[in-house]
Amino acid sequence: MYPVGLKIHKNLFTEKELENIETIINYNYNWEFEGKKKHHHYPEYVFKNNIKNIISGDCQRKIKTKDICDKCNCHMTINLKNNLPIPLWINNLIITKLIDNNIIKNNWCNCITIIMYKETVLNPHFDSPHIFELPIITLRLFNNSIISFDSKNEFGIDDIIQQRGDLTIMDGECITKYDHSIKKLNDNKTVSLVIRKIHPELINI
């Protein structure tokens, strides 16, 4: 079963559109990097906990109890390392498509992350709704992958195959209740292009 709040749009992008996007990624981003994956952020940022002055990638949610910290907005800010604009090709080929299909509103997206995977996996993690306005949207590129919301088999949720070209929209319980992880199906490279909105009041420019 799907977790509550998960939607997957199939065939939103044509084969030609996907090929164009993947060609641009291959031209602009080098696959020869160390490690299993590489992140490209627009803008480049780090999460900073103002209280302890440490850099952190998530809110202070208690994973075991699935609680969300109600103080994240007070404690967390986002420091921009480089205020890189969202590339024009992403706006033209992807964002415009989502706006035209009433998936997002104009000017909603202010954050793009391109995650390039050479190997498995993106470990179970949490996109805090206290940092990102919901939903979290991902376009799967190059090859299929698996998204898992139940890494410890606690909830009876099956792993879900993200096919190349799938647009995955995560909202509601699938963000606020569950961690999620990404697994590769084979040894071929795959890319997550993540479309999000950072709460503007958290951005410290």
Side-chain angles (χ1 to χ4, degrees):
M1 71 174 185
Y2 280 12
V4 174
L6 179 72
K7 296 180 181 178
I8 298 179
H9 289 262
K10 295 183 176 293
N11 304 315
L12 184 66
F13 293 86
T14 67
E15 177 62 28
K16 183 62 176 177
E17 288 171 332
L18 292 174
E19 289 177 356
N20 286 342
I21 293 167
E22 291 167 350
T23 297
I24 292 170
I25 290 174
N26 276 333
Y27 181 81
N28 286 283
Y29 303 97
N30 188 353
W31 283 95
E32 298 301 319
F33 53 81
E34 294 183 3
K36 297 178 180 180
K37 60 184 181 291
K38 175 72 174 178
H39 291 71
H40 300 276
H41 295 291
Y42 301 94
E44 289 187 88
Y45 59 85
V46 293
F47 299 123
K48 186 175 181 180
N49 185 309
N50 286 335
I51 302 299
K52 298 180 181 178
N53 197 30
I54 60 171
I55 293 175
S56 173
D58 60 58
C59 81
Q60 305 304 305
R61 189 180 72 146
K62 303 298 183 182
I63 299 298
K64 291 183 179 179
T65 61
K66 305 299 179 186
D67 291 330
I68 297 173
C69 175
D70 61 2
K71 298 180 180 179
C72 285
N73 269 333
C74 299
H75 292 187
M76 300 298 294
T77 57
I78 290 177
N79 286 0
L80 298 188
K81 295 171 61 179
N82 189 335
N83 195 13
L84 296 173
I86 294 173
L88 187 61
W89 66 268
I90 294 178
N91 278 314
N92 291 343
L93 300 181
I94 300 172
I95 300 300
T96 298
K97 170 82 76 170
L98 271 57
I99 293 170
D100 290 346
N101 284 271
N102 298 313
I103 294 171
I104 61 173
K105 294 180 180 180
N106 192 26
N107 297 320
W108 179 83
C109 173
N110 65 4
C111 175
I112 293 288
T113 301
I114 299 171
I115 311 174
M116 306 168 71
Y117 302 90
K118 289 193 299 187
E119 301 178 25
T120 356
V121 289
L122 187 59
N123 292 327
H125 65 285
F126 172 66
D127 293 73
S128 171
H130 294 287
I131 295 172
F132 300 104
E133 180 178 308
L134 298 183
I136 307 296
I137 302 171
T138 302
L139 175 62
R140 176 61 48 199
L141 296 165
F142 289 95
N143 287 286
N144 301 346
S145 67
I146 294 173
I147 185 167
S148 174
F149 292 91
D150 196 4
S151 59
K152 296 181 180 179
N153 298 312
E154 296 176 288
F155 305 104
I157 299 174
D158 296 330
D159 286 350
I160 298 162
I161 295 177
Q162 288 181 308
Q163 295 182 328
R164 173 178 173 263
D166 280 358
L167 188 80
T168 302
I169 300 178
M170 296 186 293
D171 203 346
E173 280 192 8
C174 73
I175 286 290
T176 60
K177 185 175 181 179
Y178 309 109
D179 299 311
H180 60 276
S181 60
I182 303 296
K183 308 173 186 177
K184 285 178 61 178
L185 283 172
N186 50 47
D187 292 332
N188 296 323
K189 63 187 180 185
T190 187
V191 164
S192 297
L193 194 148
V194 187
I195 301 154
R196 296 182 288 198
K197 180 178 180 179
I198 299 169
H199 292 297
E201 63 270 21
L202 297 183
I203 297 176
N204 179 17
I205 298 176

